[in-house]
Amino acid sequence: MHVFYTPDIQTRAELPEEEAQHCIRVLRLNIGDQITLTDGKGYFYRAEISAATNKRCMVNILETTYQEPLWNGHLHIAMAPTKNMDRTEWFAEKATEIGFDELTFLNCRFSERKVIKTERISKILVSAIKQSLKARLPQLNEMTDFNKFITQPFKGQKFIAHCYEGEKPLLKDVFHKGEDALVLIGPEGDFSEEEVQKAIDNGFTPISLGKSRLRTETAALVACHILNLQNQ
């Protein structure tokens, strides 16, 4: 099945230029061929190519299908990006395949990467929803200062995963099925103790993701998987 991301398909019966080139020049599809589109907003479209050039691909919509949400609640992962961007990109792809709703990058005290360009991550998210046949594109947010982020309003459960000693129940044991959830994942050097305390003061519950010490991107993926499974 060939799936193409067409966010404006409800108002414009045409593939974006990059998708059009892949459709026509790479896959060599042509007028009369049927393809599947998604707008990333919950819908799939069965379409037929009506006109094609090297850079443009017009379509006729034959059928519109709404995809029911595959999990309950709004699942939000906020993580400090890794120094090696390949690891952050790996997380973005795999988390999208598993299923979540929103990703925010955090600028923390011990962050080794203070700037991140989201264009590349956005393309990875798009590719992952097409590959995993999901009709909803996760929301991607720009880098946000940790102290600013934790004070923003959030309707749902709020958790912070850190490596310091203290009482930390397993995420799977304290998360309430069906509710919105936000999990903070720190940088390779972990959150500072001051950041952990500020998060707690702002309503975040410290949690554990298990007995193993995990890399940042692994911890973020484990948190994503736990929330998704608990919400099935």
Side-chain angles (χ1 to χ4, degrees):
M1 177 189 295
H2 301 300
V3 181
F4 300 91
Y5 177 56
T6 51
D8 302 320
I9 193 62
Q10 291 192 6
T11 57
R12 186 180 181 186
E14 181 177 2
L15 273 63
E17 183 175 330
E18 186 173 341
E19 293 284 71
Q21 290 184 15
H22 182 68
C23 177
I24 304 303
R25 300 176 64 178
V26 178
L27 298 176
R28 298 187 180 280
L29 300 178
N30 214 323
I31 296 172
D33 288 334
Q34 291 192 13
I35 56 178
T36 300
L37 316 175
T38 179
D39 58 7
K41 302 165 187 172
Y43 290 90
F44 283 117
Y45 305 84
R46 184 166 63 88
E48 182 179 85
I49 298 175
S50 59
T53 67
N54 283 342
K55 293 185 177 181
R56 299 191 67 180
C57 180
M58 309 296 292
V59 297
N60 290 324
I61 303 300
L62 305 177
E63 182 182 19
T64 301
T65 304
Y66 176 71
Q67 185 183 67
E68 294 290 340
L70 302 179
W71 55 88
N72 298 312
H74 184 89
L75 310 183
H76 188 167
I77 301 294
M79 65 177 286
T82 55
K83 182 178 181 180
N84 183 339
M85 274 304 297
D86 288 347
R87 296 186 181 279
T88 297
E89 292 173 1
W90 176 86
F91 162 76
E93 178 185 62
K94 302 309 176 187
T96 304
E97 292 176 12
I98 291 169
F100 76 120
D101 297 290
E102 188 171 357
L103 173 60
T104 299
F105 292 111
L106 298 176
N107 183 11
C108 304
R109 179 180 175 185
F110 298 141
S111 291
E112 294 187 85
R113 179 175 290 277
K114 299 291 186 179
V115 177
I116 188 169
K117 295 181 180 179
T118 55
E119 293 87 351
R120 168 68 179 166
I121 302 296
S122 180
K123 290 182 178 180
I124 290 171
L125 298 182
V126 168
S127 178
I129 65 165
K130 293 192 295 183
Q131 188 277 331
S132 58
L133 298 181
K134 290 183 172 64
R136 290 175 176 79
L137 182 68
Q139 178 180 332
L140 176 61
N141 302 320
E142 298 289 341
M143 177 84 80
T144 304
D145 180 75
F146 176 87
N147 291 322
K148 177 182 178 181
F149 181 80
I150 62 172
T151 62
Q152 295 176 355
F154 179 80
K155 295 181 180 180
Q157 299 176 87
K158 301 189 295 185
F159 305 102
I160 180 170
H162 64 81
C163 298
Y164 297 106
E165 296 295 328
E167 183 178 352
K168 294 182 295 182
L170 291 170
L171 175 59
K172 71 179 184 66
D173 292 335
V174 293
F175 172 66
H176 301 145
K177 180 178 179 179
E179 293 188 13
D180 296 346
L182 166 62
V183 179
L184 307 181
I185 303 293
E188 283 116 321
D190 205 353
F191 295 113
S192 69
E193 292 188 65
E194 182 183 12
E195 286 172 331
V196 172
Q197 187 58 54
K198 284 184 177 180
I200 294 172
D201 293 342
N202 280 275
F204 285 83
T205 300
I207 51 92
S208 170
L209 297 172
K211 295 180 180 180
S212 298
R213 188 176 181 90
L214 305 174
R215 287 180 178 272
T216 293
E217 73 279 4
T218 311
L221 191 65
V222 169
C224 175
H225 197 201
I226 290 172
L227 294 179
N228 185 282
L229 286 178
Q230 294 287 82
N231 268 300
Q232 295 295 315

